[in-house]
Amino acid sequence: MTTTILGVRHHGPGSARAVRSALERLKPDIVLIEGPPEADALVPLAADPGMEPPVALLAYVPGDRAKAAFWPFAVFSPEWQAIRYAVEAGVEVRFCDLPAAHSLAAGEGGAPEEERAVRVDPIGALAEAAGYDDPERWWEDAVEHRLDHPTDQPMGDGGEAGPEAVFEAIAEAMAAVREGHPPDPHEARREAYMRRSLRQAVKDGFREIAVVCGAWHVPALAAPSRVSDDDRLLRGLPKARVETTWVPWTHGRLAAWSGYGAGVTSPGWYHHLFTAPDRPIERWLARAAEVLREEDLPVSSAHVIEAVRLANGLATLRDRPLAGLNEVSEAVRAVLCEGDELPAELVRRRMVLGERLGRVPDSTPMVPLQRHLREEQRRVRLKPEALGRDHDLDLRKALDLDRSRLLHRLRLIGIPWGEPRDSRGKGTFKESWTLEWRPEFDVALIEAAVWGITVEAAATARVRELAAYPEAPLADLTALVERCLLADLPKALPHVLRAIGDRAALDSDVGHLMAALPALVRAQRYGDVRGTPSTGLAAIVDSLLTRVCAGLPSAVTGLDDDPARQLVSQIDAVHAAVALLDDIPGEEDRPEAGQAPRDRWLATLRGVADRSDLPGVIEGRLVRILFDARMADDVQVRMSRAMSLGHPPARAAAWVDGFLSGGGLLLVHDPRLLAAVDGWLTGLPPEAFVDVLPLLRRTFGAFDAPERRAIGERVRSGASAVHDGGGAGAGADHDDERAAPAVRTVLEILGRA
């Protein structure tokens, strides 16, 4: 009887290839793999053509859906390659870790050890002993790259080559690290159960046994142990009834930023190393050039050749056996991207992280998220139907409110069963949806199982993931708050608010702050009308508004036409949000030391509007807002000044566009303003009129047809002919005696005296 223990690092491409090679040489009659024994019956599904990694084993407690654990596998995971070898060779496979029934019942989880804090970081300790300041780089140099090229890197006494020698060296190194660091109780129980599984395989008559487990556990499995000691550790453990299934996984979920702490920061790179063993550096850089060319960036074959030389040269200078991710990334940035960070970031996203989604076969057991959604559909009495059906919801009714929350939660996890449509009512208590169930939603539910096993838990995890994304714009985060409140996710809201606070504190762009404010104000209002707690929103809204008011004066100058128009749109959005903010019950009782939000905002606009260095469209829009707020009595003077000969016609046209944007009824009801516009327009020289015509056409073309018709009728009737500001009634009151001399003179000229 022979037992071979292959200590690996989870998700290591070199380890995966070495494990597959070792198993093919050893030809064991049973393979024991670190994982939950409850999943033994699911192993045959790995041979199904419909199974494509990355996938994960999911174990959950049906009666308590909060207790669940995942065991992810990528194509470059050593455990996955061991499973694939076994099912292809017809060899029995058993998972040998502590059963999920015990770990989930105790609330300890059952994921690989890299997801759990241990007393010592073995990789870090070995890297430090070898003189490395980067544990990842040490592991690649000492293990992964050697396992990728075992014949090129002899190890062991007498120049012994092959992956088995590397496994032996890893076992010795881990034994040294473990000295003086006893395992914690949960880890000790796991290793006790692994030893029990190994003894059971021997008892069952297997002669060639291969064990694939984390390298940290190898010394514990190889050292002599007593059955009584292991039995004592495993006696009396709590136990729960668990179910297991396969679910799709993603490379993004293996990345450290996604919240899965496996430390796989470059899954796309690892996938490439495993699937392209022949000339991996050349193939990687050629693919990077292809990605850049797809974005119409000029990258030649000479670029690729030089990038390969640079990557290999850097590896040589750094005494590395093979160019790693750092070297190829530097080569991409320096040569292919010519020092530009933006295309280099594109390559990182597309290739280093990668966008790969696993797939499970149709014969996979149903995941709990599907089961929970069916329960929710029955509870809220919404039956899935193939044909679209309209539903009008009244959020004051408990049943309709629950329906709304379910539909919003499903949309957050990428299942648009309900599509919102314009509500027939104007009140904030009304929502209208069109519900249509499509077969692919079942697949989407399986994919969404990586976020949770209930709809609420999945939506909460998805929101937290989006909030944690380091490159999410501030406006997207504030929109996420609104969606959070619509879906009633109180556990996710604090994470989003914290992300907004952190991002806003570092963001000095007034445009970003203005784009973020409206969604927060809407969220605050929804939090009120829906009865959803929105604690913390008021302080963030007030802080953002204060920073907008402080930063707007310096943001309105020196702008070209397009940025100026974009800023006008943001000013309109903030103005509407401030009006909504004043309508929120309780806002009038805010303990403000200064003005109310609307007063502060209008005071800021008034101070900016009085400046002479504004773009025309911004000045016109500010004057219109102040006029509508009854804070600009001199609008005729401002308009006349803006249309004076001292300003270029294009600036005057932009002023008119800003002033009239949003509707032309003002010209219909105020003939003095119409007279001013008409007088300026008719007084333009022909060449200036041609220059401003496209802008004016856009301005007046945005008006509704009845408005344009009414303005035309006013002009034709001569109501705008009084250019002195007298209005429609000018001349109605006159003095005959004062007018008589002028009348006589005119009559004499006409020969009618």
Side-chain angles (χ1 to χ4, degrees):
M1 190 273 297
T2 303
T3 299
T4 304
I5 304 175
L6 305 176
V8 301
R9 190 180 189 192
H10 304 292
H11 315 309
S15 298
R17 187 174 291 110
V19 163
R20 185 67 181 249
S21 177
L23 292 177
E24 289 173 351
R25 282 195 296 272
L26 293 171
K27 293 183 172 52
D29 48 9
I30 186 173
V31 179
L32 303 180
I33 299 174
E34 183 179 333
E38 294 91 343
D40 286 350
L42 298 176
V43 169
L45 286 173
D48 194 299
M51 180 77 79
E52 296 181 5
V55 292
L57 284 171
L58 166 63
Y60 60 93
V61 179
D64 186 354
R65 296 187 177 92
K67 294 182 177 180
F70 294 94
W71 285 260
F73 302 96
V75 70
F76 49 81
S77 299
E79 299 89 343
W80 179 256
Q81 289 303 315
I83 292 174
R84 289 290 301 176
Y85 164 80
V87 295
E88 292 170 5
V91 175
E92 182 167 348
V93 177
R94 294 179 185 177
F95 289 108
C96 62
D97 204 347
L98 185 70
H102 298 312
S103 56
L104 291 180
E108 294 174 320
E113 74 272 4
E114 288 148 333
E115 294 186 49
R116 305 176 52 82
V118 294
R119 295 175 182 270
V120 62
D121 176 14
I123 306 299
L126 292 173
E128 182 179 1
Y132 281 70
D133 56 1
D134 184 354
E136 297 294 329
R137 181 180 168 186
W138 174 82
W139 181 265
E140 284 191 359
D141 288 354
V143 180
E144 294 297 337
H145 290 167
R146 293 179 184 272
L147 290 176
D148 271 326
H149 302 276
T151 58
D152 299 334
Q153 301 293 337
M155 293 187 67
D157 297 334
E160 181 184 0
E164 288 87 346
V166 179
F167 288 130
E168 293 174 4
I170 292 173
E172 293 177 6
M174 290 299 171
V177 173
R178 285 179 65 114
E179 290 182 4
H181 298 283
D184 63 36
H186 177 69
E187 186 178 307
R189 288 191 291 270
R190 292 180 62 199
E191 292 171 346
Y193 196 89
M194 291 181 190
R195 290 190 291 268
R196 174 183 286 183
S197 300
L198 185 55
R199 296 189 194 101
Q200 185 63 45
V202 174
K203 183 179 179 180
D204 291 341
F206 294 102
R207 307 303 300 170
E208 296 292 334
I209 303 172
V211 182
V212 179
C213 64
W216 177 255
H217 302 300
V218 173
L221 301 186
S225 61
R226 294 188 300 181
V227 176
S228 59
D229 293 339
D230 290 343
D231 289 343
R232 185 174 62 255
L233 285 172
L234 298 173
R235 188 177 299 118
L237 290 179
K239 189 174 183 179
R241 184 177 67 87
V242 301
E243 295 184 13
T244 57
T245 187
W246 288 105
V247 295
W249 207 253
T250 66
H251 274 179
R253 285 274 163 180
L254 295 175
W257 66 264
S258 72
Y260 170 65
V264 184
T265 57
S266 51
W269 168 251
Y270 279 6
H271 180 85
H272 172 77
L273 287 181
F274 184 79
T275 56
D278 177 35
R279 306 178 72 86
I281 307 305
E282 292 84 349
R283 294 181 185 276
W284 177 269
L285 292 171
R287 172 57 186 153
E290 182 180 351
V291 168
L292 295 173
R293 292 189 192 112
E294 290 172 355
E295 299 298 325
D296 295 328
L297 296 175
V299 181
S300 67
S301 299
H303 282 91
V304 177
I305 294 171
E306 188 59 34
V308 172
R309 289 176 179 171
L310 177 58
N312 290 332
L314 290 173
T316 301
L317 287 174
R318 295 167 182 174
D319 195 25
R320 305 196 67 179
L322 182 71
L325 180 59
N326 289 339
E327 286 71 33
V328 296
S329 296
E330 291 178 32
V332 167
R333 183 184 301 105
V335 181
L336 302 187
C337 302
E338 298 181 351
D340 193 341
E341 289 291 340
L342 190 59
E345 175 64 16
L346 174 67
V347 173
R348 189 189 74 85
R349 287 190 183 185
R350 294 261 186 98
M351 297 181 62
V352 178
L353 289 179
E355 295 295 337
R356 185 176 296 273
L357 173 68
R359 186 165 60 94
V360 298
D362 295 337
S363 55
T364 303
M366 182 182 295
V367 298
L369 183 59
Q370 291 173 292
R371 193 155 27 244
H372 180 256
L373 176 57
R374 294 189 177 188
E375 295 172 0
E376 288 290 282
Q377 289 168 338
R378 287 193 293 267
R379 184 179 66 85
V380 300
R381 287 178 255 169
L382 285 178
K383 182 180 178 181
E385 295 178 322
L387 298 178
R389 181 184 294 273
D390 293 340
H391 292 264
D392 295 318
L393 306 181
D394 185 344
L395 303 181
R396 293 168 294 186
K397 299 178 180 178
L399 180 61
D400 282 357
L401 183 58
D402 286 344
R403 289 174 171 175
S404 172
R405 289 169 174 167
L406 175 62
L407 296 174
H408 281 293
R409 289 169 181 173
L410 289 173
R411 289 178 63 82
L412 275 169
I413 60 176
I415 303 172
W417 177 25
E419 289 288 349
R421 57 185 177 84
D422 292 337
S423 179
R424 298 174 184 172
K426 296 292 185 181
T428 54
F429 290 102
K430 297 290 185 180
E431 269 189 0
S432 296
W433 297 81
T434 299
L435 271 60
E436 180 181 354
W437 186 264
R438 297 195 290 272
E440 58 266 27
F441 289 164
D442 285 314
V443 179
L445 281 168
I446 296 176
E447 296 171 356
V450 297
W451 291 310
I453 57 176
T454 69
V455 177
E456 180 180 2
T460 298
R462 177 58 174 160
V463 168
R464 293 177 61 174
E465 181 180 69
L466 293 173
Y469 188 59
E471 299 178 8
L474 184 59
D476 289 355
L477 290 178
T478 55
L480 195 59
V481 171
E482 188 175 10
R483 300 181 69 186
C484 237
L485 292 175
L486 291 171
D488 187 22
L489 301 175
K491 293 183 179 179
L493 187 58
H495 296 270
V496 184
L497 294 180
R498 183 164 53 251
I500 291 174
D502 295 342
R503 195 71 47 83
L506 300 175
D507 199 333
S508 59
D509 191 314
V510 176
H512 293 170
L513 300 177
M514 295 177 71
L517 185 62
L520 275 182
V521 175
R522 289 194 303 268
Q524 194 171 354
R525 182 177 181 86
Y526 275 122
D528 175 70
V529 301
R530 287 172 165 265
T532 306
S534 56
T535 305
L537 274 178
I540 295 179
V541 167
D542 185 72
S543 174
L544 283 182
L545 181 59
T546 300
R547 294 182 62 191
V548 167
C549 291
L552 184 61
S554 61
V556 296
T557 57
L559 298 177
D560 294 333
D561 289 343
D562 290 341
R565 294 186 184 281
Q566 182 179 359
L567 186 59
V568 165
S569 299
Q570 292 175 334
I571 290 173
D572 284 341
V574 172
H575 184 64
V578 170
L580 186 62
L581 184 63
D582 279 353
D583 290 339
I584 296 177
E587 285 297 308
E588 65 277 3
D589 299 327
R590 291 160 52 96
E592 288 290 340
Q595 299 166 299
R598 182 176 181 274
D599 295 336
R600 278 189 290 157
W601 170 245
L602 291 176
T604 300
L605 297 186
R606 186 168 189 173
V608 173
D610 291 335
R611 288 165 42 177
S612 59
D613 59 343
L614 299 179
V617 66
I618 293 180
E619 181 183 343
R621 191 62 195 148
L622 296 183
V623 172
R624 174 61 181 273
I625 292 175
L626 295 172
F627 177 74
D628 291 342
R630 303 178 184 272
M631 294 182 63
D633 298 332
D634 57 344
V635 64
Q636 287 180 269
V637 176
R638 291 176 181 268
M639 179 177 282
S640 299
R641 186 168 60 237
M643 297 178 177
S644 66
L645 296 178
H647 293 294
R651 187 189 187 281
W655 196 99
V656 172
D657 184 34
F659 184 80
L660 296 179
S661 62
L665 285 178
L666 186 63
L667 295 182
V668 177
H669 297 298
D670 195 331
R672 295 172 299 176
L673 297 181
L674 179 58
V677 174
D678 185 52
W680 166 74
L681 188 58
T682 55
L684 288 175
E687 57 276 1
F689 177 80
V690 172
D691 291 339
V692 302
L693 181 59
L695 179 59
L696 292 174
R697 179 175 293 169
R698 182 174 67 180
T699 302
F700 285 87
F703 297 163
D704 293 335
E707 293 178 356
R708 295 198 302 269
R709 185 166 52 250
I711 293 172
E713 291 173 354
R714 299 282 285 184
V715 173
R716 281 194 299 270
S717 67
S720 62
V722 186
H723 293 163
D724 60 356
D733 297 328
H734 56 270
D735 190 330
D736 290 339
E737 293 182 2
R738 295 179 62 187
V743 172
R744 283 195 298 269
T745 301
V746 173
L747 291 175
E748 289 176 359
I749 294 173
L750 295 176
R752 298 175 58 186

